[in-house]
Amino acid sequence: MTTLSVVMATFRGARWLPEQLASIARQTRRPDELVVSDDGSDDATPAVLADFARWAPFPVRILDGPRAGLADNFRHALEASRGDVIAWSDQDDIWLPAKLERCLDTLAGTGADLVHHAARVVDADAESLGFNHPDPRRTICLDPLQGDPWHVASGFATVFRRRLLDDLRHGRGLDRVAWDTRPNSHQTLRAMHHDHVVALIAFARGRRCELAEELALYRQHGANAAGAPTVRGAAAWWGALSIGADEFAIRADAARGYGVWLQSIGVSSGGYFERLARRWDRRAETYRDTDGATLGVRVTRGLGVLARRATGDHDYAATDRGGMGVAALAKDALATVIGTQA
């Protein structure tokens, strides 16, 4: 029988924690354990956890956290868990009753190693804000190195098999060497969080499924450690137009760092991330070479962008096939002609 651990990190979460704990207790498939690492909360969080542990319909273990930040707090709880399947849990969300059951069914039915589901974004009072995050529009399963390499499966909406972390170069799980040498995230430019680490390993070596079903309420209350995007739609597109060579170079460096780290822990990507880095290097070079150039040079560069697409170069393949997408093609063709701002 597959065993399931819910792994939670807490810090000053007393206001929101009771609702999340109650939603875990209401699951149609209850976890076999809840492991909580509390990072030195000085509010009522320890009391809330202790009270829940007394009546919870499954074992609850409460650990003293390492007091080294969110990611280390999650890793601490993960290392203490025993389940074959792990469900990350934040302290301030609300899980819908079928979350664990649907995720386990998906893992079993597809042979996947990681499942990532949609969630409804709500305010502090759990009232809908009218959009989802994550927001997969269809249910899809992907094999290793398929899909968008920049997509990070949000922890609170992720359930994964522990075997993803087995047989790494330094032993079972994320040992200190693997953890302390993890690369910087392309999102934050700081060491990757727990969920990004697992998402990257899953991208390189696992089968992943995205579920279009809403299985949680993702609460936004102004003090989230991480939150849903605040810029969407037309504003996001407009913001993307100001991104230029420097940002593309950062993305190239991130891809290279991902590949090097994966190789260091014994996960081969067959050169995938080096090729990805070169793709973004080319994009950065195109923008730098165009900036300040004459109109004739810019037009030539723009035609070159279109030619790479026309001749089958995969720079502009769909993002779910590892490319940069049609939107990037349009931006690059336009920006190279009118000149860049980078």
Side-chain angles (χ1 to χ4, degrees), residues 13 89 125 142 208 253 256 278-279 286 316 323 339:
S89 173
D125 299 316
L142 300 164
R208 294 122 44 230
D253 288 343
R256 203 165 278 114
R278 289 198 299 268
R279 180 179 303 155
T286 295
Y316 300 105

Side-chain angles (χ1 to χ4, degrees), residues 52-290:
F52 181 72
R54 284 190 285 271
W55 66 264
F58 41 77
V60 178
R61 287 188 287 142
I62 304 168
L63 314 174
D64 289 329
R67 306 194 185 196
L70 174 72
D72 283 88
N73 201 22
F74 266 108
R75 177 185 175 273
H76 184 62
L78 173 65
E79 290 295 297
S81 66
R82 305 187 183 106
D84 303 313
V85 172
I86 306 297
W88 298 124
S89 173
D90 291 345
Q91 64 185 5
D92 45 9
D93 301 319
I94 302 172
W95 288 1
L96 301 185
K99 171 188 161 88
L100 293 180
E101 181 178 10
R102 287 292 300 120
C103 288
L104 281 175
D105 285 349
T106 300
L107 291 175
T110 63
D113 298 288
L114 180 147
V115 61
H116 187 225
H117 62 76
R120 189 183 321 147
V121 181
V122 299
D123 64 14
D125 299 316
E127 296 295 326
S128 175
L129 294 178
F131 65 101
N132 282 2
H133 180 76
D135 190 23
R137 300 305 176 91
R138 60 192 178 101
T139 295
I140 187 173
C141 292
L142 300 164
D143 289 326
L145 303 177
Q146 288 185 341
D148 183 356
W150 305 113
H151 173 66
V152 179
S154 302
F156 79 94
T158 296
V159 177
F160 65 95
R161 296 185 190 273
R162 187 185 293 276
R163 71 188 185 196
L164 268 178
L165 307 181
D166 287 347
D167 305 319
L168 300 180
R169 176 158 292 160
H170 304 289
R172 186 174 187 272
L174 289 167
D175 72 342
R176 289 308 318 185
V177 175
W179 183 253
D180 290 343
T181 60
R182 70 195 190 277
N184 287 342
S185 166
H186 67 274
Q187 295 177 322
T188 64
L189 305 186
R190 298 190 297 271
M192 290 189 301
H193 279 172
H194 58 290
D195 49 359
H196 196 169
V197 169
V198 170
L200 179 60
I201 293 172
F203 179 84
R205 74 181 321 201
R207 181 169 170 80
R208 294 122 44 230
C209 288
E210 296 182 0
L211 284 180
E213 298 174 55
E214 292 180 1
L215 294 175
L217 305 182
Y218 186 26
R219 195 196 303 262
Q220 302 296 287
H221 49 70
N224 302 74
T230 56
V231 178
R232 301 182 302 280
W237 279 84
W238 182 256
L241 290 175
S242 66
I243 294 173
D246 290 344
E247 291 81 5
F248 301 147
I250 288 171
R251 190 64 65 97
D253 288 343
R256 203 165 278 114
Y258 293 170
V260 169
W261 181 73
L262 287 168
Q263 188 68 33
S264 77
I265 63 172
V267 179
S268 174
S269 61
Y272 176 95
F273 286 97
E274 180 56 36
R275 293 191 296 274
L276 182 65
R278 289 198 299 268
R279 180 179 303 155
W280 287 84
D281 279 334
R282 285 196 296 269
R283 197 175 188 200
E285 290 166 6
T286 295
Y287 275 61
R288 288 201 181 99
D289 290 347
T290 304

